[in-house]
Amino acid sequence: MKTPTLAPTGLQAALCGLALLVFAAVAQAGSLPAYDLDLHNGELKPDELHVEAGERFKINLHNTGNTPVEFESRSLRKEKVMGPGVDSFVVIHPLKPGEYDFFDEFHLPDARGLVIAE
């Protein structure tokens, strides 16, 4: 009698590889320098984030208000819509020294800020 083997199929091997990539990405995102940004009914705190140039980082977004917000930055190429009370994040690629604007599109013209890479 022949014993069945448990050799993975091509699909199983691909899914295992994908799971490893996802795990590695999550682990790496957890070790990034992180900066907190509170969005509260049109107010951004802080309105300036000072980051190290050339380093990947994460911005933890907290909608502490009672209205939806939209974190947006054309210069950083990021956009995130969040309902009231929602927390999320965006990962930012390494930046050259300079200033990069961001804003809450739902609360313009007042809700504006800067990421300053030094």
Side-chain angles (χ1 to χ4, degrees), residues 8-118:
T9 66
L11 178 59
Q12 290 170 329
L15 289 174
C16 285
L18 180 60
L20 288 172
L21 286 174
V22 169
F23 178 75
V26 169
Q28 187 177 14
S31 64
L32 292 174
Y35 302 88
D36 288 318
L37 177 63
D38 289 338
L39 299 97
H40 185 86
N41 300 333
E43 211 176 322
L44 304 175
K45 291 183 183 176
D47 60 0
E48 287 186 359
L49 297 173
H50 293 264
V51 303
E52 190 161 329
E55 183 173 73
R56 226 171 130 225
F57 63 94
K58 177 169 72 167
I59 302 175
N60 293 315
L61 304 169
H62 310 283
N63 183 357
T64 58
N66 57 10
T67 62
V69 298
E70 181 176 1
F71 173 86
E72 186 167 345
S73 174
R74 291 181 188 103
S75 58
L76 297 172
R77 292 181 269 162
K78 296 293 177 185
E79 183 175 11
K80 178 84 64 161
V81 176
M82 302 182 332
V86 171
D87 294 327
S88 190
F89 68 92
V90 291
V91 176
I92 309 297
H93 57 84
L95 301 173
K96 294 180 180 176
E99 295 182 352
Y100 302 83
D101 69 319
F102 62 85
F103 51 93
D104 174 358
E105 187 165 19
F106 293 165
H107 294 94
L108 288 175
D110 299 324
R112 296 185 172 278
L114 288 175
V115 171
I116 302 170
E118 304 169 306

